[in-house]
């Protein structure tokens, strides 16, 4: 793949395909329905109107329980364009300086923060202080300290903090988790996660340490970390890591190009993962157990995700990930629903602790113990 943001365009599920989804009880797709919905709706403002914010907005047009009602941006022309495209009233439009005023807007329930990584911390805390639920793209913060402060702020304000872990609702992923829990693979021995692409524009924010907080690990490597945890079903207890950098101009100090890392788990299972901004065609998870295996290839792209196990292909119909995510998050916020794999701040804090440990391991060449 050229970039994880340039996967195949989302496939719109036809009305004929939707009934098939009911056969997969663990997919987390129960919220997608062709029937007329008349219950409560989560009213969402999107902060950050870039490429991914646009993808989420488009996906939300198919949601029944989540609705785009507001925007927050530092670019007036984008605000104007979104107002026209999504019929957003002027009173629900804000910029980065005045969005604290959402505290007085009863038409907005939650804000989805989709801005560069280093901005998440302060913006989520401001959202919480305004009394609105916060949805934040990953990584939630640029380190574990920031992540904990964001959790604390949302708890103090008595609002939910959710993180954009769209793969936690993806049907193939959830089916493999179900099979692992059922013992179909036996004792889990090994996980491999390969996540990478060759990044383009050297001036983009993802290659700016002050905005990104790092390099490939903060953007694509986090998928392998998270995938190892939810597919193995344990929390790691140690990490080792090695960094390789071949282009010191593009990947400046503090911006990692390629990191290989290994995780150890209490059961004895191990994970071997790679995160890179300098190799294409890396989007694969592999899980090995004493009785079987599972593979996702592609594993984290925008879809379709392809899954297979020692029992055969999964062949689960594709539904746009962001549509499912927002429907399920509406259920979490409105109904207190508990997802199969958590998407709350505490889940993101665990990934942040592991990322901190990976960076430490690359600097020290030592095995770093984990307690998350």
């Amino acid at each position: 793949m050229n970039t994880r943001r340039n996967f195949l365009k989302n496939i719109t599920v036809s009305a004929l395909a939707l009934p098939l989804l009911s056969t997969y009880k663990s997919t987390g797709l129960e919220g997608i329905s062709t029937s007329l919905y008349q219950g409560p709706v989560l009213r969402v403002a999107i902060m950050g109107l870039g490429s991914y914010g646009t993808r989420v907005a488009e996906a939300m047009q198919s949601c029944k329980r989540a609705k785009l009602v507001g925007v927050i941006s530092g670019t007036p022309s984008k605000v104007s364009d979104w107002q026209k495209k999504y019929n957003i009233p002027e009173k629900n439009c804000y910029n980065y300086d005045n969005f604290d005023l959402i505290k007085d807007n009863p038409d907005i329930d939650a804000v989805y923060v989709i801005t560069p990584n280093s901005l998440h911390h302060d913006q989520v805390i401001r959202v919480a202080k305004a009394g609105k639920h916060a949805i934040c793209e990953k990584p939630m913060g640029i380190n574990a300290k920031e992540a904990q402060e964001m959790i604390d702020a949302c708890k103090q304000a008595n609002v939910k903090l959710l993180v954009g872990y769209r793969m936690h609702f993806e049907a193939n992923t959830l089916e493999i988790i179900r099979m692992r829990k059922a013992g179909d693979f036996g004792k889990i021995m090994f996980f491999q996660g390969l996540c990478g692409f060759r990044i383009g524009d050297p001036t983009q924010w993802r290659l700016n340490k002050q905005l990104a907080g790092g390099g490939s690990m903060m953007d694509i490597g986090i998928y392998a970390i998270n995938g190892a945890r939810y597919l193995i079903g344990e929390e790691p207890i140690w990490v080792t890591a090695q960094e390789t950098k071949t282009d010191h101009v593009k990947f400046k100090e503090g911006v990692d190009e390629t990191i290989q890392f290994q995780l150890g788990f209490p059961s004895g299972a191990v994970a071997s993962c790679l995160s890179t901004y300098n190799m294409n065609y890396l989007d694969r998870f592999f899980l090995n157990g004493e009785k079987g295996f599972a593979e996702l290839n592609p594993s984290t792209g925008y879809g379709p995700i392809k899954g297979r196990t020692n029992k055969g292909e999964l062949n689960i119909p594709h539904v746009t990930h962001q549509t499912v995510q927002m429907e399920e998050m509406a259920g979490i916020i409105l109904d207190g629903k508990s997802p199969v794999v958590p998407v709350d701040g505490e889940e993101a804090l665990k990934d942040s602790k592991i990322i901190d440990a990976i960076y430490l391991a690359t600097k020290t060449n030592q095995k770093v113990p984990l307690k998350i």
Side-chain angles (χ1 to χ4, degrees):
M1 62 182 179
N2 294 327
T3 159
R4 71 180 178 85
R5 290 173 176 79
N6 287 331
F7 282 98
L8 297 175
K9 291 184 178 179
N10 291 331
I11 296 175
T12 302
V13 177
S14 68
L16 290 174
L18 285 167
L20 297 174
L21 300 178
S22 62
T23 63
Y24 299 95
K25 295 183 179 179
S26 65
T27 62
L29 300 175
E30 294 82 1
I32 308 297
S33 172
T34 56
S35 61
L36 182 63
Y37 176 73
Q38 296 181 323
V41 172
L42 183 70
R43 299 164 300 175
V44 179
I46 290 180
M47 179 188 297
L49 311 185
S51 61
Y52 193 72
T54 299
R55 186 179 289 273
V56 172
E58 286 296 301
M60 287 183 68
Q61 303 313 298
S62 300
C63 288
K64 300 293 189 296
R65 302 205 66 193
K67 182 181 180 182
L68 174 63
V69 300
V71 294
I72 302 168
S73 174
T75 308
S77 61
K78 287 184 179 181
V79 172
S80 179
D81 290 344
W82 279 50
Q83 275 188 270
K84 296 171 186 175
K85 185 172 184 178
Y86 300 112
N87 194 29
I88 296 171
E90 180 68 31
K91 66 183 180 65
N92 290 355
C93 298
Y94 302 88
N95 58 48
Y96 296 129
D97 293 325
N98 69 10
F99 76 82
D100 306 274
L101 295 176
I102 60 172
K103 68 178 183 298
D104 300 318
N105 191 335
D107 295 336
I108 296 174
D109 302 313
V111 176
Y112 194 160
V113 177
I114 311 177
T115 55
N117 304 338
S118 67
L119 305 180
H120 293 174
H121 173 267
D122 291 351
Q123 290 171 341
V124 165
I125 290 175
R126 287 172 65 186
V127 168
K129 289 182 177 178
K132 306 299 181 179
H133 300 296
I135 303 171
C136 183
E137 255 314 299
K138 57 194 178 302
M140 189 171 75
I142 62 171
N143 54 48
K145 179 178 180 294
E146 282 198 355
Q148 186 63 63
E149 289 171 354
M150 295 161 75
I151 292 169
D152 294 342
C154 289
K155 284 183 178 178
Q156 184 175 354
N158 196 30
V159 297
K160 296 278 190 184
L161 172 56
L162 304 181
V163 181
Y165 287 114
R166 58 186 168 84
M167 304 314 299
H168 293 198
F169 306 111
E170 196 280 318
N172 294 273
T173 301
L174 289 173
E175 176 61 10
I176 290 173
I177 291 172
R178 184 199 66 77
M179 293 177 69
R180 187 255 301 157
K181 288 181 176 179
D184 289 9
F185 309 128
K187 177 180 171 60
I188 301 302
M189 307 296 292
F190 176 73
F191 169 86
Q192 182 186 54
L194 304 177
C195 299
F197 61 90
R198 189 182 292 273
I199 200 165
D201 180 9
T203 66
Q204 64 181 282
W205 70 262
R206 290 177 183 84
L207 295 176
N208 182 321
K209 174 66 161 63
Q210 284 65 45
L211 289 175
S216 69
M217 183 59 60
M218 302 296 286
D219 181 30
I220 194 75
I222 191 172
Y223 283 94
I225 293 170
N226 200 240
R229 293 176 50 235
Y230 60 64
L231 287 182
I232 292 176
E234 299 180 59
E235 301 297 357
I237 56 176
W238 57 259
V239 61
T240 53
Q242 307 81 37
E243 181 177 4
T244 302
K245 186 174 292 191
T246 63
D247 187 340
H248 292 269
V249 176
K250 192 172 191 178
F251 304 101
K252 297 178 175 59
E253 181 67 26
V255 179
D256 48 285
E257 173 188 323
T258 300
I259 293 180
Q260 298 176 75
F261 62 95
Q262 303 78 41
L263 301 169
F265 295 82
S267 67
V270 292
S272 177
C273 304
L274 184 144
S275 166
T276 184
Y277 266 162
N278 204 28
M279 302 178 211
N280 284 331
Y281 316 115
L282 293 176
D283 185 18
R284 177 179 181 264
F285 287 172
F286 181 79
L287 186 71
N288 181 264
E290 289 184 330
K291 293 166 54 179
F293 73 87
E295 181 183 41
L296 291 165
N297 186 15
S299 57
T300 65
Y302 294 140
I305 299 301
K306 297 295 184 182
R308 71 183 181 103
T309 74
N310 53 292
K311 297 183 178 182
E313 303 289 332
L314 295 184
N315 295 317
I316 301 176
H318 172 69
V319 180
T320 302
H321 296 171
Q322 293 80 6
T323 302
V324 181
Q325 174 191 311
M326 296 310 297
E327 289 288 76
E328 291 297 310
M329 286 186 167
I332 293 169
I333 292 174
L334 297 173
D335 306 329
K337 185 175 180 178
S338 295
V340 173
V341 185
V343 292
D344 55 20
E346 283 77 8
E347 172 77 3
L349 174 61
K350 293 175 181 179
D351 284 341
S352 290
K353 288 180 177 179
I354 297 171
I355 290 174
D356 287 354
I358 288 172
Y359 282 141
L360 178 60
T362 63
K363 293 176 181 177
T364 63
N365 292 316
Q366 300 291 317
K367 178 186 285 188
V368 177
L370 287 168
K371 187 175 183 181
I372 60 173

